[in-house]
Amino acid sequence: MPPEVLLPQLASPDLLRSVFRRHAAGVAVITAQRGGSPVGFTATSLTSVSAEPPMISFGIGTNASSWPVISETEHVGVHILGEHQQELAATFARSGADRFAAPTSWREGPEGVPVLDDVLAWLVCRIVARVPAGDHRVVLAEVALGDPTGPGRPLLYHQGRFNGLRE
C-alpha cells in the first residue's frame, strides 16, 4: 500500500521552523565587543562560504540584542561548541541572560573580540558585508586567524534540542 500523501503546506514561518527542526546543525556562538561591553549569541546558521579568501557567513535577527553591536563592529569571534557545552549554548540563546558572567569562561582576544574558552575551534573574522534578508541580516566575514585544535566532539541542534553525535 503506498504511503499516505499529504498536501504540501503554503510557505509560512511555522512551515520553515518545522522543516528546519528536522535539519541537524552544528552550534556556534558569535561574539563581539563595543566599548568594553561584550555581546554574543548562539547561531546554527554558520556556513563556510569561500576558501579563497577564507570566508564565513551567519544570520542574525535585526531585533536580536546583539544586533546593534554586530551592525557596527569590524570583527567578530566565531566559536564551534563541543557536546560538553550544551549549557553554554543555552545561555547564549537565552534572551536577557548575562551571557558573559560566570560560569562562562572567556578572554579578550585579537581585535578585542571576546574568545570563549574550551571550545572545539574559534576564529576571529573581519566583517565585509551585512546583507538584508527579511527580518535578518546575513553577515559575511573574512577569517583573520583562529585555532582549530580544541578537543572533543561537536554539539548539534536538532528537533529543538542540543545533542551530541551518536555512533
Side-chain angles (χ1 to χ4, degrees), residues 1-166:
M1 173 174 263
E4 182 180 335
V5 177
L6 300 176
L7 292 176
Q9 299 176 30
L10 292 176
S12 70
D14 286 340
L15 172 62
L16 186 65
R17 285 185 198 101
S18 294
V19 168
F20 273 86
R21 274 188 205 102
R22 301 183 68 95
H23 174 71
V27 181
V29 168
I30 310 297
T31 61
Q33 190 164 208
R34 177 174 63 187
S37 296
V39 299
F41 63 98
T42 300
T44 56
S45 60
L46 181 65
T47 304
S48 170
V49 173
S50 169
E52 285 294 329
M55 192 174 291
I56 58 96
S57 72
F58 60 87
I60 180 172
T62 55
N63 61 350
S65 62
S66 297
W67 172 242
V69 174
I70 300 293
S71 73
E72 295 180 353
T73 192
E74 291 185 28
H75 293 87
V76 293
V78 177
H79 307 82
I80 306 301
L81 300 190
E83 62 186 359
H84 62 287
Q85 295 177 303
Q86 291 185 23
E87 190 53 43
L88 182 68
T91 297
F92 275 83
R94 194 174 304 121
S95 181
D98 186 353
R99 297 169 177 157
F100 289 89
T104 300
S105 179
W106 65 283
R107 67 193 179 283
E108 187 171 308
E111 304 296 342
V113 170
V115 174
L116 301 175
D117 293 336
D118 201 29
V119 294
L120 296 188
W122 61 268
L123 300 168
V124 171
C125 302
R126 182 181 60 84
I127 294 178
V128 297
R130 297 167 184 88
V131 181
D135 62 355
H136 277 61
R137 296 295 180 267
V138 175
V139 177
L140 296 169
E142 190 172 341
V143 175
L145 58 102
D147 180 358
T149 62
R153 294 162 48 97
L155 182 63
L156 300 177
Y157 188 72
H158 181 251
Q159 295 288 18
R161 295 188 355 249
F162 297 113
N163 299 282
L165 286 175
R166 283 187 278 227

